[in-house]
Amino acid sequence: MTHNLKKTFAILLMAFFGSTFLHNCEPDPDSLGEQLFNGDAVQGNEISYPVIAYNYDNKDSIKSDASRLISGLNESGAASYVGVLGAFTENQFGMQRASYVTQLRMPVDNYDFNGANPKVDSVVLVVRPPANTTANTYFFESDSLKTNTFDKSDFPVDGVATAVSIEKKTYPVRKYGKVASKTMKINVHEVTTFLDANNDALKRSNASISTGELLGSGVFDGKISSVSITKKSDNSVVFTGNLGFRMKLSNTDFFQTHILDKKGKPELQDAANFIRYFKGIKISVDETDKYLYQFSPNDLQLIMYYKYDKTDNGTTTRPQTTLNFNLGSANVHLGLYEYSRSGSAVASSLATSNPNDGDARLFVQGMGGPSVIVKIKDETIAQLKDIFVKDKAGIVSAKIRVYLDPETWKNTGSTEDRRFTLLANTLDSAGKIDYKNLLFTSDLTTGLGLYYYKENPGYYDFVVTKTIKDLVEEKTEKDPDGNTKLITNKPLVITAGSFVTNPTGTLLGVRNTTRAFDMNRIILTGVDKTNTNPKRIQLLVTYGTKK
């Protein structure tokens, strides 16, 4: 995340001048900055301009269904997904708790359970880590691996006590919150609300989802494990449990009466009937002040172990087998996020947010938390036009510099991976963001970049070079009807998360970001009305003139 700004600046210059030169072999003599390419020496100048930046309240609500939980695409084009569980409380942002809801399906229609008289032995939920992608931090601390190997002489294999060797590898998960906390109680409930994929109200993080029976609870100790069991006699593999957290559900009566006893009944006839009968499960935590961690929704497993009657040559036995419910991508997935902001600093700041003059401290949080709106003043654009027309100057770079505010928020214990998106947006008459009409900035689409970070003293430079040039040089664009119009000075929105890409790095879309499951929260230094605080948010424009 840390970058050498001098190197970055040089690269930006090369990218900018190179692309400009290629597209301006015969420049318009009136185009701003054309004299930078006629062989004369230039003098660089940097000017700081104030901007308006204020906190924007997203009402702790975000679209968080499967379409917004994508962390990236693999080589074959399949999507990877990320969910969040846990809870974390502190005085700046208040309490945040994450739960997860998913549908599930039978493996096939009219499942026959292999034979007669099926009875549940046990039911296990397995929560697995997400795939590692460029948009996602590692789920576990790979350098903290612990391996335990032990022997067991009476492990049941096909009903026969067998000598086996068991190897268990354990990793602690990466936590966001109170790292010293270890255990968290995880609950699994039956969902009683039909998860209608066409209901937009059920696609948001604050959706109203009802629950019924408690299917089971377990204590998560902050670690995930993989298990391999092999026979001592021939080293053949008896069992392999991939990396994850396994939780035994205690309410086997529910699965007996709701699944096994429905053999041959309409409820199990097909997927359409089943998802209206057994509507889904909700995974949640009891606590309010522990930590958040990520998992892979499509790799969740719900495994039912059961026995049934099997008759061969007049002899009836009761072998054990498994039913793996389908919790994959065909199902509705939903991240549910609860907040309690009472008494927190962010609640006060959002209540007093000033869109006209800006706010002194800026709060950014993923998963539906606040964003920041930045407005470049029209008078600033007018001043730049005057300078560049009068002095025949050319813009070299423009960036919005914003500092971290370590005095009030520093996440010292957790693994922090701050990422941002910067998008152009329109505001309606009430000052609300039109999230359906967000736009990539022209800097991002033309390859000039998004932002750069300087660790000491801790600031971000958001690249707006072409954004400013287009305004100052009065460039035009086509509207939806194909008419030519001047590019307008649009507000910019900074949110937590990163843009989702395919394996080649191509952006998937303007609304395809990791914001819906980004666990980070950041406080930035905002507007200083006196313009004397050197760490105030500001627009820095570097331009060139002849010596």
Side-chain angles (χ1 to χ4, degrees):
M1 202 68 174
T2 303
H3 298 272
N4 184 308
L5 282 191
K6 290 183 179 179
K7 182 177 179 181
T8 299
F9 187 68
I11 293 172
L12 278 173
L13 285 177
M14 290 174 64
F16 174 74
F17 283 124
S19 62
T20 306
F21 180 76
L22 287 173
H23 291 88
N24 291 276
C25 294
E26 296 180 6
D28 182 341
D30 292 327
S31 65
L32 299 176
E34 56 84 19
Q35 79 286 349
L36 294 179
F37 303 100
N38 65 12
D40 293 336
V42 297
Q43 176 69 47
N45 302 276
E46 183 178 83
I47 307 178
S48 170
Y49 294 94
V51 299
I52 298 171
Y54 61 94
N55 294 296
Y56 183 83
D57 190 354
N58 289 299
K59 307 298 183 184
D60 290 334
S61 177
I62 188 172
K63 191 175 181 182
S64 57
D65 65 334
S67 69
R68 292 294 178 265
L69 297 172
I70 298 174
S71 62
L73 302 182
N74 62 23
E75 295 293 340
S76 63
S80 298
Y81 297 84
V82 174
V84 182
L85 285 174
F88 178 32
T89 301
E90 40 79 23
N91 60 7
Q92 296 296 321
F93 288 85
M95 190 279 293
Q96 178 186 37
R97 180 159 53 189
S99 306
Y100 204 78
V101 166
T102 180
Q103 286 178 329
L104 67 163
R105 299 166 192 248
M106 297 291 288
V108 296
D109 294 342
N110 272 328
Y111 195 80
D112 67 2
F113 301 99
N114 301 95
N117 195 29
K119 298 294 181 184
V120 176
D121 280 341
S122 62
V123 182
V124 174
L125 175 72
V126 186
V127 182
R128 301 200 183 283
N132 296 321
T133 70
T134 56
N136 183 40
T137 59
Y138 288 107
F139 180 75
F140 53 86
E141 301 282 1
S142 58
D143 56 352
S144 300
L145 166 66
K146 290 185 178 180
T147 302
N148 292 318
T149 303
F150 56 95
D151 295 335
K152 190 173 179 63
S153 62
D154 57 351
F155 187 85
V157 178
D158 295 329
V160 178
T162 305
V164 299
S165 176
I166 301 174
E167 181 184 72
K168 184 177 182 180
K169 294 182 178 180
T170 301
Y171 303 84
V173 298
R174 287 196 173 180
K175 305 170 183 175
Y176 192 91
K178 293 179 168 56
V179 173
S181 297
K182 294 182 180 179
T183 61
M184 251 189 326
K185 185 180 179 183
I186 296 180
N187 299 314
V188 182
H189 283 87
E190 168 202 14
V191 167
T192 56
T193 299
F194 173 54
L195 302 178
D196 184 354
N198 297 313
N199 186 344
D200 287 340
L202 297 179
K203 296 180 180 181
R204 302 199 68 83
S205 60
N206 59 346
S208 178
I209 304 292
S210 300
T211 57
E213 290 194 45
L214 176 66
L215 304 181
S217 299
V219 175
F220 178 57
D221 64 359
K223 299 175 183 178
I224 52 175
S225 302
S226 63
V227 177
S228 178
I229 303 176
T230 57
K231 287 183 182 180
K232 297 286 286 184
S233 59
D234 59 5
N235 289 325
S236 61
V237 176
V238 174
F239 174 81
T240 298
N242 294 330
L243 198 62
F245 164 64
R246 297 174 65 87
M247 185 173 78
K248 190 173 182 179
L249 303 185
S250 58
N251 193 348
T252 55
D253 287 345
F254 177 92
F255 289 90
Q256 182 66 47
T257 58
H258 284 70
I259 306 297
L260 294 175
D261 291 351
K262 295 295 181 179
K263 178 180 177 179
K265 302 289 181 64
E267 290 89 336
L268 308 189
Q269 180 177 346
D270 54 35
N273 281 6
F274 187 78
I275 62 174
R276 286 167 173 78
Y277 164 61
F278 188 2
K279 299 177 177 64
I281 59 172
K282 178 182 178 181
I283 309 171
S284 61
V285 301
D286 265 0
E287 290 81 2
T288 59
D289 191 14
K290 293 284 187 173
Y291 52 86
L292 303 168
Y293 72 99
Q294 295 176 327
F295 69 98
S296 174
N298 274 4
D299 292 322
L300 283 171
Q301 282 187 291
L302 187 64
I303 308 167
M304 183 172 66
Y305 298 86
Y306 67 95
K307 290 186 174 72
Y308 64 96
D309 288 346
K310 180 180 181 181
T311 302
D312 286 322
N313 298 321
T315 301
T316 300
T317 58
R318 299 269 305 161
Q320 186 188 70
T321 189
T322 61
L323 185 157
N324 282 273
F325 291 94
N326 178 358
L327 281 77
S329 59
N331 296 286
V332 169
H333 299 313
L334 181 65
L336 289 180
Y337 311 138
E338 304 170 58
Y339 292 87
S340 178
R341 304 289 196 188
S342 179
S344 67
V346 71
S348 175
S349 293
L350 290 173
T352 59
S353 181
N354 189 335
N356 295 319
D357 300 320
D359 298 333
R361 296 168 67 221
L362 305 173
F363 294 77
V364 182
Q365 186 179 22
M367 298 164 62
S371 303
V372 168
I373 291 178
V374 178
K375 295 179 181 177
I376 298 169
K377 297 181 178 182
D378 289 337
E379 61 198 68
T380 296
I381 301 301
Q383 291 172 20
L384 288 170
K385 285 182 181 179
D386 184 61
I387 291 173
F388 298 139
V389 170
K390 182 173 62 178
D391 297 339
K392 291 293 183 180
I395 294 175
V396 174
S397 76
K399 55 205 175 190
I400 294 170
R401 178 166 294 175
V402 56
Y403 286 82
L404 295 174
D405 183 3
E407 302 301 320
T408 53
W409 168 250
K410 187 172 179 62
N411 188 20
T412 57
S414 303
T415 299
E416 196 162 35
D417 188 27
R418 296 184 300 264
R419 296 174 186 268
F420 301 95
T421 63
L422 179 71
L423 291 164
N425 71 91
T426 55
L427 305 178
D428 64 18
S429 58
K432 294 182 178 180
I433 296 174
D434 182 1
Y435 276 110
K436 292 184 178 179
N437 290 301
L438 291 172
L439 300 168
F440 288 124
T441 65
S442 54
D443 296 88
L444 189 61
T445 57
T446 55
L448 289 183
L450 179 57
Y451 63 83
Y452 300 90
Y453 178 58
K454 177 68 173 177
E455 187 170 7
N456 192 3
Y459 63 74
Y460 290 87
D461 280 343
F462 288 88
V463 179
V464 289
T465 305
K466 192 172 189 307
T467 299
I468 297 297
K469 281 178 63 65
D470 287 347
L471 292 170
V472 171
E473 297 175 8
E474 298 184 342
K475 295 292 180 67
T476 60
E477 62 183 356
K478 297 287 187 181
D479 66 17
D481 298 323
N483 301 314
T484 299
K485 64 174 184 177
L486 285 175
I487 293 175
T488 57
N489 185 13
K490 301 179 183 67
L492 303 170
V493 58
I494 298 173
T495 63
S498 57
F499 292 109
V500 178
T501 66
N502 66 16
T504 65
T506 302
L507 301 177
L508 296 189
V510 70
R511 286 183 293 278
N512 292 101
T513 77
T514 66
R515 177 176 160 234
F517 55 86
D518 189 287
M519 301 183 294
N520 288 282
R521 57 196 70 187
I522 307 100
I523 300 179
L524 304 167
T525 302
V527 171
D528 172 33
K529 294 179 182 179
T530 66
N531 289 329
T532 57
N533 180 3
K535 292 188 176 182
R536 68 190 182 278
I537 187 171
Q538 53 198 292
L539 171 67
L540 298 175
V541 179
T542 301
Y543 65 93
T545 58
K546 293 181 181 180
K547 291 183 180 178

